[in-house]
Amino acid sequence: MKERPDVNDLSMDTGVQQMITKARDEGIETAFDRADKMKQCGFGSQGVCCRLCLEGPCRISPTGNGPQSGVCGANIDTIVARNFFNNVIQGTASHAEHAREIAHALVETVAGHAPYTIAGVDKLKSIAQGLGIETEGKEVNQLVKEVTDKALEDFQKQEGTLNWLKLKADQKSYQTWENLGLLPENAHAEIAKGMARNVMGADADPANLLMGTVSMGLVDGFAGLHMSTDLQDIMFGVPKAVKAQYRLGVINKEKINISVHGHIPLLADKVVEWARKLEDEAKKVGADGINIVGVCCSANELLMRKGVSVATNYASQEMPIITGALEAMVVDIQCIMPGLQQVAECYHTELITTLPYSKISGATHVEFTTEKADEAAKEIVMKAINNYKNRDSNKVNIPEEVTEAYAGFSTEQIVEALANVNPDDPLKPLVDAIANGDILGAVAIVGCTNPRKRQDQYNVDLVMELIKNNVLVVATGCSAHSLGKFGLLSPDGLKYSGKEMREVLTAVGKANGLPALPPALHMGSCVDNSRIADLLTALANYLDVGIKDLPAAGSCPETHHPKALAIGTYFVASGVDVHVGVNPQVTGSELVTNVLTASKGDFPITTDELFGGKIIYEEDSVIAAQKLIERIKMKRKALGLK
Ligand code: BF8
Ligand code: SF4
């Protein structure tokens, strides 16, 4: 029998290693074991397998052996382009649904049908003004109604382009997209058109398919990411800097533990509220109270706005259950492994699904609606309280490590922190530091962890190499969690930074009553990649250049989800280079690879030529960081900077 990999090779997080060992001792399989058992298909991983109709599946060998087209005649480039497009459509649909859920929750709230309050009134006014809505003399509820009308229009309007694209796009990018005829009409139409055009016997021109993919990326960016963030800020308030704790050690043996996992903060927020309200009930059953911990992007939402601790990130989502001390895991949508239920069945943990379109067989289902948000959250917390008696103390083993991290760096918070250095011209200190080379540029670390890669290692290695070279890092999603676990979201992490950047971040931190700013600024969940785009847009406008001209890039070293490809497409279309450390499943087609990566300069069109950004596929994080630094230096030179 094949030896299982050493736990040290599976995750950099010693707490996770401890839990994989515990699971193995108890005969429980985790995602890391499943990844080891599952051979990756050589065809699928290059994107050359087509399952779009019942004549197939057809697969084409990129080596030139065997048939060179499917039964219908589709060639390898068409097949790879369609598969990539399909991934981007899936990612986009996920984010657009997220935004639409929040829009509906706001509608219900101001109609008096949902128990939320509007916490982000300043943001509401600024978004309303940006959308061209008259704000003077209007009540909050009226403004919410008008803003959500504009949001919902982006799912149905039949002419023009997305309101949110006009609201948030930088002018230079807008012009490029308009000239190329890429502006999307409405999110639902584009997703439907994308599916229709990608079906068997429709669009078979790989270059045209890639252009359709770019339009889809714009839907993801504006009707997905930006709209979700903006509406969530209106509902729950704009995040401010906050200190919190990371790693599995945040699970508290003396308390009832509930982990919240998924993406949409509507339920997660209510679970926190009800956990506080029901503390006495927890004490009645002998616990010290109720402890909420986060997993994945729900963790980010709660961390940024409520300082809730983060237990772990994607690849190790089963581990909180394996501690034996988790009474309930509450999930909504996206990145939730169905395997959670098999693991939960080995312990007393109750896995609770909450959305009618996202269930797991065997799990408990408590239906969440915004109208009945309080009832659902109360029922969930009571289930956890009642489950405490079933905890088996012989099975409890919680890793001890905990690290401290700062989060909550919304664009508004970053600008406010800079304003404490220069109140009249807040962006100037940052721009000056970039101009004089103290900060070489900025890279956004985004995306996931992936059970096929040593967890956290690739995210951390990339950031270490970047900050050593005075590149400022901003982070979102599960990659931000990787950095939080290993001290890079804390001012202490500055010891790994180049001297020049360390001095700048220390000065800004001191102006804000902190010892220093961390070398990596946590900007939120995956939809909050919009905040990174906002910051880039603000800098580009300040300098009167395009985003494509800025010495900035993005990177997802350990990604796993199609959403990452949708986000990446949006950023490439905006002129930002995006590194991926995991095979994006396009390498089977030279044409598609060349268009996206501009790897052969002589190809007729590349995204680099059209938009100023490209995909960089590189598995080695240190080499990837060096490639990003090279591109940053090239963009600096073009701006006339040293
Ligand atoms: O949207 S970072 S594993 S949780 S896909 Fe998923 Fe990746 Fe985590 Fe958030 Ni984003
Ligand atoms: Fe094969 Fe063409 Fe059908 Fe794809 S669409 S499965 S290539 S016949």
Side-chain angles (χ1 to χ4, degrees), residues 8-35:
N8 183 47
D9 295 335
L10 299 177
S11 177
M12 194 176 160
D13 183 338
T14 47
V16 171
Q17 293 173 16
Q18 186 183 330
M19 289 301 97
I20 302 172
T21 306
K22 180 175 188 279
R24 286 178 174 179
D25 291 345
E26 294 171 358
I28 298 162
E29 193 175 62
T30 67
F32 295 100
D33 301 311
R34 295 191 294 271

Side-chain angles (χ1 to χ4, degrees), residues 37-113:
K37 275 194 196 164
M38 182 61 66
K39 293 262 167 303
Q40 261 184 317
C41 166
F43 292 96
S45 58
Q46 296 188 75
V48 299
C49 175
C50 182
R51 292 179 52 248
L52 285 185
C53 87
L54 307 183
E55 294 164 57
C58 302
R59 56 188 207 181
I60 296 174
S61 163
T63 60
N65 296 328
Q68 287 305 292
S69 52
V71 174
C72 68
N75 67 16
I76 197 164
D77 299 324
T78 299
I79 291 173
V80 170
R82 287 194 303 212
N83 286 338
F84 183 63
F85 197 175
N86 266 349
N87 268 332
V88 173
I89 294 171
Q90 279 231 324
T92 301
S94 305
H95 287 141
E97 274 305 278
H98 182 145
R100 204 173 62 91
E101 288 257 9
I102 304 289
H104 276 295
L106 283 167
V107 170
E108 294 296 329
T109 299
V110 297
H113 300 149

Side-chain angles (χ1 to χ4, degrees), residues 240-448:
K240 308 273 278 174
V242 60
K243 194 168 163 184
Q245 295 190 312
Y246 263 97
R247 297 181 79 165
L248 289 162
V250 302
I251 294 173
N252 188 325
K253 195 173 174 183
E254 312 305 328
K255 294 190 176 180
I256 288 164
N257 293 294
I258 303 175
S259 76
V260 187
H261 172 17
H263 283 84
I264 305 175
L266 292 167
L267 171 68
D269 189 85
K270 280 287 171 192
V271 170
V272 174
E273 184 184 325
W274 276 94
R276 285 174 189 158
K277 284 184 181 157
L278 293 170
E279 280 273 316
D280 287 346
E281 295 297 316
K283 290 187 176 140
K284 280 188 204 157
V285 299
D288 263 8
I290 303 172
N291 181 37
I292 305 290
V293 299
V295 176
C296 283
C297 276
S298 293
N300 283 319
E301 299 289 354
L302 293 180
L303 164 73
M304 298 273 284
R305 294 198 184 82
K306 296 208 147 65
V308 168
S309 305
V310 179
T312 202
N313 46 0
Y314 175 78
S316 49
Q317 60 184 265
E318 293 150 311
M319 306 305 150
I321 302 175
I322 294 166
T323 64
L326 193 73
E327 275 55 54
M329 178 175 268
V330 193
V331 301
D332 55 18
I333 196 165
Q334 298 166 27
C335 301
I336 295 148
M337 291 186 186
L340 285 172
Q341 178 58 20
Q342 282 129 253
V343 177
E345 281 168 13
C346 303
Y347 299 90
H348 73 303
T349 307
E350 195 160 2
L351 179 67
I352 304 174
T353 56
T354 54
L355 294 178
Y357 52 89
S358 187
K359 295 186 179 181
I360 297 174
S361 46
T364 304
H365 187 75
V366 175
E367 189 109 332
F368 169 79
T369 59
T370 44
E371 294 89 335
K372 299 249 183 272
D374 280 323
E375 288 87 337
K378 184 177 178 194
E379 186 182 343
I380 287 164
V381 176
M382 280 312 297
K383 277 187 183 296
I385 293 171
N386 292 330
N387 197 17
Y388 181 63
K389 62 178 181 300
N390 298 320
R391 188 192 289 186
D392 177 352
S393 58
N394 295 321
K395 282 193 174 178
V396 174
N397 176 355
I398 306 171
E400 280 176 8
E401 297 95 337
V402 168
T403 50
E404 284 206 333
Y406 284 86
F409 290 97
S410 56
T411 312
E412 291 86 339
Q413 174 64 93
I414 292 174
V415 172
E416 196 181 310
L418 292 169
N420 285 331
V421 179
N422 186 340
D424 298 330
D425 196 356
L427 289 180
K428 192 166 185 297
L430 179 60
V431 169
D432 285 351
I434 294 173
N436 68 25
D438 288 347
I439 294 178
L440 195 67
V443 171
I445 309 298
V446 306
C448 324

Side-chain angles (χ1 to χ4, degrees), residues 131-344:
L131 288 165
I133 295 167
E134 175 59 57
T135 56
E136 207 47 45
K138 282 187 188 154
E139 298 279 331
V140 165
N141 282 7
Q142 178 59 28
L143 277 181
V144 169
K145 172 133 193 357
E146 291 183 35
V147 166
T148 49
D149 279 350
K150 289 277 186 195
L152 293 172
E153 244 179 61
D154 278 354
F155 294 87
Q156 65 206 32
K157 67 196 307 201
Q158 301 297 320
E159 56 186 26
T161 188
L162 303 169
N163 295 325
W164 243 261
L165 190 148
K166 288 192 270 183
L167 171 69
K168 284 301 181 86
D170 74 292
Q171 275 320 303
K172 293 192 168 63
S173 298
Y174 186 99
Q175 219 50 63
T176 306
W177 302 329
E178 188 173 45
N179 292 346
L180 291 168
L182 296 175
L183 291 174
E185 193 178 13
N186 79 62
H188 281 173
E190 293 300 333
I191 292 165
K193 276 193 283 182
M195 295 301 286
R197 134 185 218 180
N198 221 13
V199 79
M200 187 273 149
D203 200 350
D205 175 345
N208 201 41
L209 283 159
L210 287 172
M211 288 297 114
T213 310
V214 171
S215 280
M216 195 58 56
L218 299 183
V219 176
D220 187 70
F222 296 104
L225 311 181
H226 281 284
M227 192 191 288
S228 297
T229 300
D230 291 336
L231 297 184
Q232 284 175 185
D233 281 357
I234 290 172
M235 181 71 113
F236 298 111
V238 177
K240 308 273 278 174
V242 60
K243 194 168 163 184
Q245 295 190 312
Y246 263 97
R247 297 181 79 165
L248 289 162
V250 302
I251 294 173
N252 188 325
K253 195 173 174 183
E254 312 305 328
K255 294 190 176 180
I256 288 164
N257 293 294
I258 303 175
S259 76
V260 187
H261 172 17
H263 283 84
I264 305 175
L266 292 167
L267 171 68
D269 189 85
K270 280 287 171 192
V271 170
V272 174
E273 184 184 325
W274 276 94
R276 285 174 189 158
K277 284 184 181 157
L278 293 170
E279 280 273 316
D280 287 346
E281 295 297 316
K283 290 187 176 140
K284 280 188 204 157
V285 299
D288 263 8
I290 303 172
N291 181 37
I292 305 290
V293 299
V295 176
C296 283
C297 276
S298 293
N300 283 319
E301 299 289 354
L302 293 180
L303 164 73
M304 298 273 284
R305 294 198 184 82
K306 296 208 147 65
V308 168
S309 305
V310 179
T312 202
N313 46 0
Y314 175 78
S316 49
Q317 60 184 265
E318 293 150 311
M319 306 305 150
I321 302 175
I322 294 166
T323 64
L326 193 73
E327 275 55 54
M329 178 175 268
V330 193
V331 301
D332 55 18
I333 196 165
Q334 298 166 27
C335 301
I336 295 148
M337 291 186 186
L340 285 172
Q341 178 58 20
Q342 282 129 253
V343 177

